[in-house]
Amino acid sequence: MNVNISSQFLKRVFTCLLSISLVAGCESMQAQQITIQEENVVYGQSNGELADQGYTRTYDIYTPKSYSPSRPMPLVMVFHGDEGSGRSISNVSQFNKLADQKGFIVVYPDGIDQRWSIKNKNKRNIDDVSFVKNLINHIQEVRNIDSRRIYASGFSRGGILTQALSCELSDKIAAFASVAGSLPRRLKPNCQPEMPVSILMINGTNDQSVNYQGDKKTQKGSLVSIPEAIEFWRTHNQCPEYTAKNDTFLAGNQSDAPAGSRASRDRSKLKTYSYSGCSAGSEVVELAVVNGGHLWYGGSSTDKDVNDFNKDLGLDSTQTIWDFFERHTLPLV
């Protein structure tokens, strides 16, 4: 009799403790949600900062009016080129307009001295790949971010940084896009992403800053050719040699692509090479702008010649990048 009473008593105590634990856990989750909800969110474009590697790092952030702290939103990071800033690449790329239309948050980080450091072997001992990892964690503390839909893009040196991020942060970033950038030659041998990498590359064949045919191996900061970079990612992702045509990446009205190892189209000075059906649903896409130079195609510019070229080309890099990003999500852990 006493044994039965003790057993029942213990069960009741255990049940009670379990209930208290669950309630405490729920209260903890609620407290976290309340913190996010009660945050004084600034809609539109604002700026922020965080401490990283002994420096105060700054960034611009755009929060669309459709953002709700109770609902996670995708995050797009956009990295400027040398001598640029978060605000300048924001003005050129015009991602903010698209963020309002499609519903995602955009962050435009600032490089120290308007430059990006791929490795920490530099005068100020800065590692911007590590900074980006910390930045993601920081943004997740101030905005409700969909952790499976974080994306990275960049122009020029920012595009080169994006390629480096592809090597290191494939477990945190769902897809990558570089404009006028390529893979650093010294990174290639040790570039071993944990996961397949979905990547889009937009490059001009007449780019005098990022050579389409690549740099000499002895050149400081040498970059591989664009075809070599594409082949590297295709091989890493175990993409098949043949791929189906995909009109999403093309500007204007296009004719069907001929069959071949690289699905190719040529219209309005634009050639597209795409590889789909790769490991884990990843894909690799190259847009080669024939005779194109060093610019964000379709972006805002005060140069009449650039605007005329863009009008004739009909390629909107920002829209194309988002179309690419929108198809990719990190797998559930």
Side-chain angles (χ1 to χ4, degrees):
M1 182 71 176
N2 291 336
V3 172
N4 290 336
I5 292 174
S6 299
S7 176
Q8 292 175 1
F9 177 74
L10 289 173
K11 288 181 180 178
R12 291 177 62 187
V13 170
F14 176 77
T15 302
C16 181
L17 290 174
L18 180 60
S19 299
I20 292 172
S21 176
L22 289 173
V23 169
C26 291
E27 288 178 347
S28 175
M29 290 175 63
Q30 290 173 354
Q32 184 178 3
Q33 291 174 354
I34 290 171
T35 299
I36 295 173
Q37 291 172 356
E38 291 181 349
E39 181 194 3
N40 185 21
V41 176
V42 178
Y43 291 89
Q45 190 139 344
S46 59
N47 50 59
E49 61 181 38
L50 71 153
D52 178 78
Q53 302 173 65
Y55 296 95
T56 298
R57 302 301 299 264
T58 58
Y59 61 87
D60 272 30
I61 182 170
Y62 187 83
T63 307
K65 292 181 179 179
S66 59
Y67 170 75
S68 171
S70 64
R71 187 178 67 253
M73 241 185 191
L75 170 66
V76 174
M77 297 179 291
V78 187
F79 303 97
H80 62 77
D82 279 350
E83 301 182 5
S85 66
R87 184 56 60 96
S88 69
I89 193 62
S90 167
N91 293 335
V92 170
S93 67
Q94 299 286 291
F95 257 110
N96 294 352
K97 292 181 180 180
L98 199 58
D100 279 329
Q101 296 171 18
K102 301 296 184 179
F104 57 87
I105 293 169
V106 196
V107 169
Y108 307 94
D110 296 312
I112 292 181
D113 296 333
Q114 299 180 292
R115 288 183 56 86
W116 298 111
S117 300
I118 309 304
K119 289 289 185 180
N120 58 2
K121 295 179 180 179
N122 51 74
K123 293 180 180 179
R124 303 185 71 170
N125 199 35
I126 301 165
D127 182 354
D128 276 324
V129 172
S130 177
F131 160 64
V132 172
K133 186 175 181 180
N134 292 336
L135 175 65
I136 292 173
N137 294 335
H138 168 75
I139 298 299
Q140 288 176 319
E141 292 176 357
V142 299
R143 295 291 186 274
N144 191 350
I145 300 300
D146 186 342
S147 60
R148 297 177 62 210
R149 301 188 66 196
I150 297 174
Y151 308 102
S153 64
F155 171 70
S156 190
R157 183 72 173 176
I160 296 170
L161 173 62
T162 299
Q163 295 273 335
L165 296 175
S166 304
C167 297
E168 301 289 341
L169 300 182
S170 62
D171 60 328
K172 292 185 176 294
I173 300 176
F176 306 81
S178 65
V179 180
S182 187
L183 182 66
R185 193 177 300 279
R186 62 185 174 83
L187 289 187
K188 184 182 173 184
N190 298 316
C191 182
Q192 300 177 344
E194 293 183 21
M195 303 173 66
V197 171
S198 288
I199 189 165
L200 165 67
M201 295 179 64
I202 304 177
N203 294 85
T205 62
N206 195 34
D207 189 333
Q208 300 300 306
S209 298
V210 176
N211 192 335
Y212 188 85
Q213 298 302 330
D215 302 318
K216 295 180 179 179
K217 295 182 179 180
T218 56
Q219 180 177 321
K220 183 178 180 180
S222 173
L223 301 173
V224 304
S225 71
I226 306 307
E228 184 178 348
I230 291 295
E231 180 62 17
F232 172 83
W233 292 118
R234 188 191 73 80
T235 301
H236 169 73
N237 292 346
Q238 300 178 329
C239 300
E241 290 186 357
Y242 291 88
T243 179
K245 65 186 180 69
N246 194 322
D247 292 335
T248 304
F249 302 103
L250 301 174
N253 296 319
Q254 306 296 332
S255 58
D256 289 342
S261 61
R262 287 157 63 96
S264 172
R265 307 186 179 182
D266 189 351
R267 176 96 173 181
S268 298
K269 303 177 182 177
L270 182 66
K271 290 185 177 181
T272 300
Y273 307 98
S274 61
Y275 300 90
S276 57
C278 311
S279 178
S282 60
E283 61 180 323
V284 179
V285 178
E286 175 199 348
L287 295 186
V289 181
V290 179
N291 296 322
H294 195 71
L295 68 150
W296 185 282
Y297 297 99
S300 177
S301 176
T302 57
D303 189 319
K304 183 180 182 301
D305 290 338
V306 169
N307 290 331
D308 288 344
F309 181 87
N310 278 328
K311 184 178 180 180
D312 177 61
L313 179 65
L315 171 64
D316 184 339
S317 296
T318 302
Q319 180 68 61
T320 301
I321 288 169
W322 174 249
D323 289 343
F324 182 78
F325 285 167
E326 203 169 20
R327 292 201 303 276
H328 297 286
T329 305
L330 285 178
L332 289 168
V333 178

